[in-house]
Amino acid sequence: MPDMPSANILYIEDDLGLAELVRIKLKREGYHVAHTESGHQGVMLMRDQDFDAVLIDFYLPDMNGLEVLKGIQALQPKAVCIMISGIDDMQLVVDAIKQGAEDFVLKDSEGAYLELLPTTLGKVLLKQRLIAEKEAAEQEKSKSEAFYRSLIDHTHVVAWEYLPNTGRFSYVSSQAEKLTGHSLEEWTSDGFWQASLHPQDYAKVNAFCSSRSHSQEEEGLEFRLLKKDGSELWLRQLVSVVEIDSESCCVLRGFLIDITESKQAMEKQRLAELVFDTIHEGIMITDTHNCIEVVNPAFTKITGYSFDEVRGQNPRILSSGLQDARFYTALWQSLNKHGHWEGELWNRHKNGEMYAQSTSISYVHDEVGNIKRHIAIFGDVTEKKQADEKIYHQANYDSLTELPNRQLFQDRLHSAVASAKRNHSQLALLYIDLDRFKEVNDSAGHEAGDRLLIQVAKRLNECIRETDTLARLGGDEFTVILSNLSTNYDIENIARTMLEVLEQPFSLAGDIDAAISASIGIAMYPADGGDDETLVRHADAAMYRVKETGRNGFEFFTAEMNREAGKRQQFKSAFKDSLEKGEFKVFFQPVWRLSDGKIMGVEALSRWQHPEWGMVMPDDFIPVAEESGFIHELSLFVVNEVVKQIKAWDEQAFNEISVAINLSPIQFRRLDDWLAQMHKVLSEHAIAPHRIKLEITETALMGDTLKLMETLSHVQTSGIEISLDDFGTGFSSLSRISGMPLNFIKIDRSFVSQIGQGRQCNVIEAIISMSHSMDCQVIAEGIETVEQREYLKQLGCDFGQGFLCSRPVPAADLLTLLQKGFLFD
């Protein structure tokens, strides 16, 4: 605040806007301000009123500031005047001070002088008060000398007198000590000038001061002086007087002005410009109407647009269209509330390509708080986002099918359950396991299996909506999350569609085809579980229920299924112990000649007589045995039991009876090892290999045809006959098996059960005809009626098997049938 709060100030300024800003600023500081728009008006007002100080703008419409100053001084010689100018002209500063101005204020484009003006005004008024006091105390001195001394002592200007011939100052004003910290004695001592000048500026300053050819006009030089504390001080040197004294020596007189702050400001601006031009981030500055004013080179590099192309444009020319109106509404709300926004958005390059940018937008306000500009700083983060997305994709998606993996499935299921809980809605979880996929994978190889999984994923994806989630958990297991479904009927339709598309044949490249199916278990939220872990467990239990009851279907979870899931686990734990305790039995089902009913052979079928669970059928425990690996031990057990029975039958003179042993695709993959172990058992009991037949499924014929033929031929060469089981239900065609070294082809019971309904008869006839053309005999499974038997006999089928003549029976009961010889007349 000024020392005289009630001081009256006259401000002569033709810019009404600036005049109002100055009036407001000074009024806040306690001054009374009067204003005129021209120099003539100001002089006339000074004629009628007294003012403590006068602020004079140098450029006025009717006269310049020096002329106004002269006119005011003619009326009031002691008038306190401060010159204001928007041009940094040192000549003008000197002229104004020489003519009587108390100080000089430089306008700047940013309006900082508004802050400086009250300080300068207060300083000038203080100076005038001090001058008045000094004049009263030293009335013996002339008024002009007092004014000059006071001016020198209360400005940032150092008056000096320099003698080039001695290389030292003969006089400096007291301001020199305040600016530099060096005492006046040091300033006027020998060698001071040379010691205190900055080493890089010494030569030019010394040459300047040593010259005897200066004109009488002022000359300027900027240089650095080392202060007492070692820091640098920027000074501008003005030589105003060059004289020759009485001894013919050159005398230089002038002023030193502290320009350190302006130099630092210029350096900051230079650095800011350097950063602006070299920074890798794009910079865009817009005006209050959000029109582009300035951009830097990085902006052009990132966006492809030059400054000329975007000057005056709205930044929306960069918009990609990927952000909706809500995004920009939130952006502007943040800017208006906080003055700042940070985030990521997608924009469009000049060439049309999209790029991601990390952006920071800020408001710039003027001195009165109004928004003046917007500054946006942004960097291209497209590559980083792509790398992050790649890492995320690798962590959350299956590399083979590109479906969500187990981790992402668990995350989405957790979110779906939480959403259903909030919205009081239901969702369905489908657990899908492919039937016979392991057989395809084992027989045709992993590459064929991978191709099959890719096609399965594509077909399943076409059955669901975009809002649903299809995931691959691993192997041949898939899951589907169905949200916002109102009825079980909708879920059933989706499940049926999935089963239908998976039943269509798959082409796995080359001549490899496959026909599979799927087992689908369904668990509902909230009926079947209130959390994701429970839903997965129950859907899995429902899926196993489907497999156990025939596969190629779907089931909803029930409490009974949960109990059965626990039973499967019990199976796995009890297998080995039950085998050692003799709880596994081998039953035999006769195969008879259709022409006369004579028993020609039997099929060995395993049974599990558990002390608690009773008789467990193969359809219940074989899938679990295959899954756990127990199937290998069980198979060797069956071989040993078969060999014992063959030995017993031979003792009863039934030495023509052969036994068919089922071989799973898993065992077929290890056929060489399995055959070696079986031949060892046969050799130990002196049983001829031709007494054994191996029954294989169609999936065993997948893969490399030449290799398959070589493997099967090796089996036949050892004396063992080969029977193709369940023909017609898998992926094989008659042309596929043509030429294969097979001895028997078994027609699946599903075809035999259709006899009498017309539709399947042509298929059976074709199978029989084709098999005979390949020198293969035909066995029909599942014969349960006389009509079926007679029809097959009429078509020329060779052998039959089924409940019509006998169910699978223990060895003792089979002996009775063998002794009978013929099963029907």
Side-chain angles (χ1 to χ4, degrees):
M1 293 294 291
D3 294 323
M4 301 173 65
S6 61
N8 293 316
I9 309 298
L10 173 60
Y11 184 25
I12 305 174
E13 169 64 65
D14 62 324
D15 188 326
L16 298 181
L18 289 177
E20 181 62 13
L21 291 177
V22 170
R23 188 190 69 78
I24 293 172
K25 182 64 178 179
L26 294 182
K27 183 179 180 181
R28 291 176 180 172
E29 300 294 331
Y31 295 100
H32 300 293
V33 182
H35 169 246
T36 65
E37 298 180 33
S38 67
H40 179 72
Q41 292 175 350
V43 173
M44 294 299 293
L45 194 60
M46 288 289 293
R47 191 187 303 275
D48 300 325
Q49 297 183 38
D50 292 327
F51 293 92
D52 296 292
V54 184
L55 306 177
I56 307 171
D57 183 71
F58 186 80
Y59 294 96
L60 295 168
D62 55 345
M63 59 181 74
N64 64 38
L66 294 178
E67 292 172 339
V68 176
L69 180 60
K70 185 176 179 179
I72 291 174
Q73 288 175 336
L75 294 173
Q76 296 185 23
K78 293 186 178 181
V80 178
C81 299
I82 298 174
M83 193 68 67
I84 300 175
S85 176
I87 299 178
D88 186 8
D89 185 347
M90 291 308 303
Q91 182 67 47
L92 176 60
V93 175
V94 174
D95 289 342
I97 292 176
K98 286 173 65 177
Q99 187 165 311
E102 298 296 331
D103 211 330
F104 188 97
V105 176
L106 178 64
K107 294 180 182 178
D108 63 287
S109 60
E110 299 298 328
Y113 79 98
L114 289 173
E115 300 296 328
L116 178 62
L117 193 57
T119 303
T120 302
L121 188 58
K123 185 190 297 182
V124 168
L125 292 174
L126 174 62
K127 181 191 71 176
Q128 288 304 309
R129 189 180 70 181
L130 294 176
I131 289 174
E133 292 174 354
K134 191 171 184 178
E135 285 179 342
E138 299 179 359
Q139 293 182 0
E140 70 279 5
K141 295 183 180 180
S142 66
K143 291 183 179 181
S144 60
E145 181 181 357
F147 175 76
Y148 177 76
R149 292 299 180 185
S150 180
L151 175 65
I152 295 299
D153 290 341
H154 294 91
T155 64
H156 294 294
V157 178
V158 176
W160 56 270
E161 184 178 270
Y162 185 75
L163 304 175
N165 61 327
T166 62
R168 67 181 182 85
F169 290 95
S170 58
Y171 164 78
V172 292
S173 63
S174 60
Q175 192 70 12
E177 184 172 357
K178 297 177 182 178
L179 286 177
T180 68
H182 296 291
S183 67
L184 299 181
E185 289 77 11
E186 290 175 310
W187 269 90
T188 56
S189 64
D190 291 336
F192 170 78
W193 197 228
Q194 293 82 352
S196 299
L197 284 172
H198 193 286
Q200 295 179 2
D201 297 338
Y202 174 78
K204 67 177 181 180
V205 177
N206 190 54
F208 180 87
C209 293
S210 299
S211 174
R212 302 174 66 91
S213 61
H214 290 293
S215 68
Q216 292 299 313
E217 297 180 357
E218 296 174 348
E219 298 185 44
L221 178 70
E222 294 180 357
F223 62 93
R224 287 164 291 179
L225 185 73
L226 300 179
K227 296 171 66 174
K228 187 79 170 180
D229 61 7
S231 61
E232 295 180 1
L233 178 71
W234 274 98
L235 297 171
R236 178 178 293 161
Q237 177 171 281
L238 299 176
V239 178
S240 59
V241 179
V242 181
E243 297 180 352
I244 304 299
D245 63 12
S246 59
E247 299 179 359
S248 300
C249 294
C250 179
V251 179
L252 304 180
R253 296 185 182 92
F255 300 94
L256 292 175
I257 301 176
D258 181 5
I259 60 171
T260 304
E261 289 186 4
S262 63
K263 276 289 185 180
Q264 291 174 343
M266 291 175 62
E267 179 63 17
K268 288 181 180 179
Q269 182 177 353
R270 188 189 69 81
L271 290 175
E273 291 174 351
L274 180 63
V275 171
F276 187 83
D277 290 337
T278 60
I279 191 172
H280 293 298
E281 282 74 22
I283 300 176
M284 176 178 63
I285 301 175
T286 63
D287 61 17
T288 53
H289 302 293
N290 205 28
C291 295
I292 298 174
E293 287 187 328
V294 182
V295 299
N296 69 338
F299 173 96
T300 299
K301 183 178 181 181
I302 294 173
T303 69
Y305 289 97
S306 68
F307 176 44
D308 290 338
E309 291 173 313
V310 298
R311 188 202 308 263
Q313 298 286 336
N314 189 290
R316 70 170 62 96
I317 66 171
L318 304 174
S319 176
S320 65
L322 298 179
Q323 289 84 213
D324 58 17
R326 288 180 298 176
F327 174 87
Y328 289 105
T329 298
L331 184 154
W332 284 106
Q333 286 176 345
S334 176
L335 271 174
N336 293 329
K337 182 177 181 180
H338 307 291
H340 184 74
W341 178 85
E342 287 187 7
E344 289 187 358
L345 53 83
W346 285 88
N347 272 343
R348 187 187 301 274
H349 192 275
K350 181 181 177 181
N351 63 14
E353 295 180 358
M354 304 292 187
Y355 64 92
Q357 65 178 52
S358 176
T359 307
S360 172
I361 305 175
S362 301
Y363 279 154
V364 177
H365 299 84
D366 60 18
E367 61 278 0
V368 295
N370 296 321
I371 298 173
K372 190 174 183 180
R373 288 182 177 85
H374 313 98
I375 298 180
I377 302 175
F378 59 92
D380 187 344
V381 294
T382 307
E383 291 185 1
K384 179 180 181 299
K385 286 189 72 67
Q386 289 173 343
D388 291 344
E389 289 172 0
K390 182 177 180 181
I391 294 172
Y392 176 84
H393 192 84
Q394 291 173 342
N396 292 277
Y397 287 85
D398 175 50
S399 60
L400 178 65
T401 63
E402 293 298 317
L403 295 177
N405 61 12
R406 184 182 294 272
Q407 176 175 306
L408 184 55
F409 159 72
Q410 290 173 340
D411 290 343
R412 290 191 178 178
L413 179 60
H414 186 77
S415 299
V417 170
S419 177
K421 189 174 296 184
R422 288 193 304 271
N423 300 324
H424 303 289
S425 59
Q426 68 174 356
L427 66 83
L429 174 62
L430 278 61
Y431 203 110
I432 305 169
D433 189 272
L434 303 182
D435 302 329
R436 300 185 176 180
F437 170 74
K438 291 182 179 179
E439 299 172 4
V440 175
N441 207 41
D442 294 340
S443 303
H446 292 297
E447 290 187 5
D450 287 347
R451 286 192 289 270
L452 177 59
L453 290 173
I454 293 171
Q455 294 182 44
V456 166
K458 183 178 180 180
R459 293 188 188 183
L460 290 177
N461 217 19
E462 293 173 349
C463 299
I464 62 175
R465 305 163 301 177
E466 291 185 0
T467 55
D468 301 325
T469 295
L470 168 65
R472 181 189 176 209
L473 302 188
D476 61 343
E477 295 179 325
F478 296 83
T479 55
V480 176
I481 303 171
L482 302 176
S483 302
N484 300 319
L485 294 175
S486 56
T487 65
N488 287 1
Y489 180 74
D490 294 333
I491 302 169
E492 291 174 8
N493 279 343
I494 292 174
R496 287 192 181 94
T497 302
M498 288 179 174
L499 293 174
E500 289 173 2
V501 299
L502 294 181
E503 284 180 337
Q504 302 302 314
F506 291 86
S507 178
L508 306 182
D511 59 349
I512 301 176
D513 296 323
I516 63 168
S517 58
S519 299
I520 304 176
I522 305 172
M524 302 293 297
Y525 172 88
D528 300 328
D531 59 82
D532 39 338
E533 183 178 346
T534 303
L535 287 174
V536 171
R537 188 171 66 253
H538 289 175
D540 181 52
M543 180 272 294
Y544 269 106
R545 173 67 176 175
V546 177
K547 282 194 174 293
E548 292 170 351
T549 56
R551 306 183 182 183
N552 193 25
F554 67 89
E555 291 243 6
F556 287 86
F557 174 80
T558 64
E560 178 64 25
M561 293 179 194
N562 195 33
R563 287 192 292 272
E564 291 180 359
K567 194 171 185 179
R568 282 196 303 274
Q569 187 59 43
Q570 290 178 322
F571 282 175
K572 292 180 182 180
S573 302
F575 277 149
K576 187 174 181 180
D577 187 55
S578 292
L579 187 61
E580 292 175 351
K581 291 181 177 179
E583 295 172 2
F584 280 94
K585 309 294 182 183
V586 177
F587 279 39
F588 300 91
Q589 186 175 28
V591 176
W592 70 87
R593 192 164 53 203
L594 282 174
S595 60
D596 57 8
K598 182 177 181 181
I599 298 175
M600 303 303 295
V602 295
E603 179 181 359
L605 300 167
S606 55
R607 297 288 186 270
W608 187 4
Q609 184 65 51
H610 194 275
E612 296 180 12
W613 307 325
M615 182 66 73
V616 184
M617 303 304 289
D619 287 345
D620 293 326
F621 68 81
I622 290 296
V624 184
E626 290 178 333
E627 179 184 334
S628 64
F630 176 72
I631 192 68
H632 301 292
E633 295 179 63
L634 182 60
S635 179
L636 288 176
F637 164 77
V638 171
V639 169
N640 278 282
E641 290 299 305
V642 165
V643 167
K644 292 178 183 177
Q645 291 305 318
I646 291 176
K647 199 72 173 176
W649 295 333
D650 286 350
E651 292 176 358
Q652 298 292 326
F654 298 115
N655 48 17
E656 295 181 359
I657 300 300
S658 61
V659 182
I661 298 176
N662 290 284
L663 200 63
S664 76
I666 294 176
Q667 293 171 286
F668 191 79
R669 187 177 57 183
R670 298 170 52 181
L671 187 59
D672 290 342
D673 291 340
W674 191 86
L675 283 174
Q677 296 181 65
M678 189 185 70
H679 279 296
K680 181 180 179 181
V681 174
L682 294 177
S683 177
E684 290 175 351
H685 292 82
I687 302 297
H690 74 271
R691 302 290 296 278
I692 301 295
K693 292 181 176 63
L694 293 185
E695 289 199 2
I696 61 175
T697 60
E698 290 183 65
T699 52
L701 302 182
M702 293 184 64
D704 188 332
T705 302
L706 294 177
K707 185 175 181 180
L708 284 170
M709 294 183 67
E710 181 181 351
T711 300
L712 295 176
S713 296
H714 174 68
V715 174
Q716 285 185 333
T717 301
S718 70
I720 298 175
E721 292 184 319
I722 301 171
S723 177
L724 182 61
D725 196 12
D726 299 332
F727 182 75
T729 61
F731 64 90
S732 295
S733 63
L734 290 172
S735 59
R736 170 70 177 166
I737 65 172
S738 179
M740 288 287 181
L742 302 172
N743 301 102
F744 297 90
I745 293 178
K746 299 183 76 172
I747 300 175
D748 187 71
R749 67 183 68 248
S750 62
F751 294 106
V752 174
S753 65
Q754 300 297 322
I755 292 175
Q757 300 181 23
R759 184 169 59 87
Q760 296 293 337
C761 295
N762 292 336
V763 175
I764 296 175
E765 184 175 0
I767 293 174
I768 293 172
S769 177
M770 185 65 176
S771 299
H772 287 167
S773 69
M774 295 167 50
D775 294 328
C776 291
Q777 295 180 295
V778 183
I779 303 173
E781 295 183 298
I783 300 175
E784 298 183 358
T785 68
V786 174
E787 181 184 6
Q788 292 169 350
R789 182 189 69 186
E790 292 304 314
Y791 182 79
L792 289 166
K793 180 178 178 181
Q794 180 182 350
L795 291 178
C797 183
D798 302 293
F799 302 100
Q801 185 178 0
F803 291 174
L804 175 64
C805 294
S806 176
R807 293 176 177 272
V809 295
D813 295 340
L814 179 65
L815 183 59
T816 302
L817 294 175
L818 291 176
Q819 291 171 343
K820 181 179 177 182
F822 294 88
L823 298 179
F824 57 85
D825 297 330

